[in-house]
Amino acid sequence: MTSYTATVSRRLPRGWAHLALQLAFWMGFYVAYQIVRGLADRDIATAFWNGFHVIRLEQWMGALFEPALQRLVDSSELLIKATSYTYWLSQFAVVALALLWVYVRHHDRFFGFRNWLIAANLVGLAVYALVPTAPPRMFPEWGFVDTLARYSSINHESGLIAYASNPYAAMPSLHSMDAFIVGVVMFGVCRSRLARTLWLVWPAWVWFSVIGTGNHYWLDVVAGVLLAVAAGVGLFRRELFSRWRTASRA
């Protein structure tokens, strides 16, 4: 064992085996995601019908503002690049790094963080299977633009992305949901005022990015945030009930 490996091992709160187990949780989630993708791909007509209804609902509410927001993004090369990178990196890379950082630096908060993400994502996957929804980028006749396909060298049709991503997973927005959970947890564990401010702003920036690239409706974002809140409240109440039962038996 090298000195570097030994140092890292000492820093891991419960060793390499426990860390590998946590990685296995996320591999299981990825497998579940692929199964749901297969289900959604077989019901494309329903996905487009559901997407159309989301558009009509927003129109009825007088709040179909996404095309205007997209025009703002498309007017700036900086915004195009920033929102595109945010879309690709926010859900998996940022979530994974945040989980790893909390695991190592604030281990007592890790399990609540992990469970919140898993619970919310599993419910989100169930909704995808039951209610597949085509994203706004698939409705150019309504003024939506597929920003990634138009301006980026990497888009939903690129290589492994075309295989791994679910093209009919607009409602709810897991990007927005995960960003909210990560932002809340990281705001709570960070001590630097700058870091806390950045994590407080992070969810709003992700929401702007997923809408601005034509990948989600604003109602998807709202649904994702509500799902995150509901999952968090459910887990918190379960934990309180568990503590009460333990105390009552003492």
Side-chain angles (χ1 to χ4, degrees):
M1 178 182 294
T2 66
S3 59
Y4 173 77
T5 304
T7 300
V8 173
S9 298
R10 287 196 299 271
R11 289 178 178 175
L12 292 177
R14 299 174 68 175
W16 284 104
H18 189 264
L19 179 59
L21 177 63
Q22 303 312 310
L23 294 175
F25 273 111
W26 290 104
M27 291 303 296
F29 169 73
Y30 177 76
V31 171
Y33 188 91
Q34 291 306 308
I35 293 173
V36 172
R37 171 197 160 89
L39 293 173
D41 281 352
R42 290 198 294 268
D43 206 359
I44 297 174
T46 300
F48 273 90
W49 184 247
N50 291 333
F52 173 73
H53 277 292
V54 173
I55 293 173
R56 290 302 301 270
L57 177 59
E58 291 188 359
Q59 186 184 48
W60 176 78
M61 296 170 66
L64 188 64
F65 62 80
E66 293 95 331
L69 185 64
Q70 281 205 274
R71 288 193 292 271
L72 171 64
V73 171
D74 291 350
S75 67
S76 167
E77 185 177 350
L78 177 61
L79 279 177
I80 291 172
K81 289 183 177 180
T83 54
S84 297
Y85 279 115
T86 299
Y87 177 78
W88 289 125
L89 297 176
S90 63
Q91 189 174 14
F92 293 106
V94 174
V95 170
L97 290 173
L99 276 166
L100 182 60
W101 192 82
V102 172
Y103 181 87
V104 175
R105 299 294 298 274
H106 300 276
H107 194 67
D108 59 315
R109 301 288 296 274
F110 171 76
F111 295 100
F113 185 18
R114 182 204 66 186
N115 293 345
W116 190 5
L117 281 168
I118 289 177
N121 275 274
L122 287 178
V123 175
L125 289 181
V127 176
Y128 287 168
L130 296 171
V131 191
T133 306
R137 59 186 170 82
M138 294 185 177
F139 293 92
E141 65 274 19
W142 287 86
F144 294 104
V145 176
D146 189 342
T147 301
L148 300 176
R150 176 177 290 188
Y151 299 107
S152 177
S153 58
I154 302 176
N155 55 65
H156 290 90
E157 304 303 321
S158 302
L160 290 176
I161 294 174
Y163 170 77
S165 64
N166 184 345
Y168 307 111
M171 174 69 74
S173 169
L174 296 192
H175 280 80
S176 302
M177 182 190 72
D178 290 345
F180 177 82
I181 295 173
V182 168
V184 169
V185 172
M186 295 300 287
F187 176 83
V189 299
C190 289
R191 295 292 174 260
S192 162
R193 181 175 298 180
L194 175 60
R196 287 165 66 89
T197 300
L198 290 175
W199 284 117
L200 189 63
V201 173
W202 173 247
W205 170 249
V206 173
W207 303 340
F208 175 85
S209 297
V210 298
I211 295 174
T213 54
N215 286 287
H216 286 287
Y217 312 95
W218 68 264
L219 281 175
D220 300 341
V221 173
V222 172
V225 174
L226 290 177
L227 176 54
V229 172
V233 170
L235 288 172
F236 179 70
R237 292 182 63 180
R238 182 175 179 274
E239 182 180 352
L240 286 180
F241 180 70
S242 178
R243 289 181 179 179
W244 174 80
R245 289 187 63 183
T246 301
S248 64
R249 292 174 179 174

